Amino acid sequence: HEQRVREQERRQALAHTPDDGATWMKLGSAEYGAGRFGMAAVAFRRAGTYKVPFSLYNSAASLARAGDRAGAVALLDTIATGGFLQITLLSGDSDFVALRNDPAFVAVVAKVQRNATPCASNPKARQLDFWVGEWNVTNAAGQPAGHSVVKKILAQCVVFENWTDGQGGEGKSLNAYNSKLNRWQQFWTDQYGGVTEYRESEWDGPSLQLVAH
């Protein structure tokens, strides 16, 4: 009874202020909780008109629960195209269990995965992948100079170098492809207090040349 009263209050509030996105969101949640998924989808979609966070996602979830698979996938695709990147939420959401094997849904999940991990699918951001691993480094004379352990971090966006020189001193560098500037950059620091920023770079065949500032 109390829930029905709250729903009625929300509907009355919307009758006077139909542009209240937060109230539309609450109404959508109430309809969803009552199992009226079609009505929930409409209310959430209305909340989306006013840019309420996750309103369109909730509308898609409600459509899926209501059995409108095509409508749910179409709305999810719109959200994904707009930059939605909550891949863990989407992949594990029980609202979309019936869509797991739908090719269109699988394509949307892939699009959201690319949003969440853009460097993994960007060839330019993977140009230094060959560097990943453990390396015994020698100088020009072939003498041991140190040891380097290189790995990818931050969803494959950063190449992280861990350097140990011949005396046991340590240094580290963060290397990333700056898509806005279309070039690689590096930030280097070591235990001796040295800091170097390589803001400019260019490829010379298979070699990357970094320029310090």
Side-chain angles (χ1 to χ4, degrees):
H1 175 73
E2 183 179 349
Q3 182 178 358
R4 288 197 299 271
V5 170
R6 287 200 298 270
E7 289 179 31
Q8 184 62 31
E9 290 175 345
R10 293 187 186 103
R11 292 184 183 281
Q12 290 176 349
L14 288 170
H16 293 89
T17 56
D19 58 349
D20 186 347
T23 301
W24 279 111
M25 194 72 169
K26 291 177 182 177
L27 180 60
S29 296
E31 298 287 12
Y32 181 96
R36 296 188 289 269
F37 301 116
M39 297 177 69
V42 172
F44 283 132
R45 189 65 179 263
R46 187 66 181 271
T49 304
Y50 305 104
K51 311 300 182 183
V52 180
F54 286 96
S55 52
L56 296 182
Y57 178 90
N58 288 347
S59 183
S62 299
L63 287 172
R65 287 285 188 180
D68 184 358
R69 298 185 180 187
V73 171
L75 187 51
L76 285 174
D77 186 62
T78 297
I79 298 168
T81 300
F84 184 76
L85 46 73
Q86 300 292 333
I87 185 61
T88 301
L89 173 63
L90 179 60
S91 298
D93 197 327
S94 60
D95 286 326
F96 302 114
V97 168
L99 301 177
R100 290 284 181 255
N101 297 320
D102 185 323
F105 178 78
V106 172
V108 169
V109 172
K111 184 180 291 188
V112 175
Q113 180 68 65
R114 289 193 295 272
N115 291 343
T117 56
C119 298
S121 58
N122 183 352
K124 288 189 175 181
R126 307 198 64 174
Q127 289 172 301
L128 285 183
D129 281 10
F130 68 86
W131 192 21
V132 175
E134 295 193 29
W135 306 89
N136 291 316
V137 182
T138 58
N139 59 24
Q143 300 172 330
H147 183 73
S148 185
V149 178
V150 182
K151 58 185 178 179
K152 300 290 287 292
I153 61 173
L154 299 180
Q156 301 190 55
C157 281
V158 174
V159 178
F160 182 35
E161 174 194 16
N162 296 274
W163 166 256
T164 304
D165 64 28
Q167 289 71 48
E170 297 183 345
K172 299 183 185 297
S173 73
L174 297 174
N175 305 265
Y177 174 71
N178 188 328
S179 59
K180 293 182 179 179
L181 299 178
N182 191 30
R183 60 174 173 260
W184 280 84
Q185 296 179 312
Q186 181 188 100
F187 179 87
W188 163 268
T189 185
D190 58 39
Q191 71 174 59
Y192 309 114
V195 175
T196 307
E197 293 183 63
Y198 297 89
R199 300 180 186 175
E200 304 287 338
S201 68
E202 65 177 0
W203 287 92
D204 181 10
S207 301
L208 177 64
Q209 296 181 349
L210 295 160
V211 181
H213 285 267

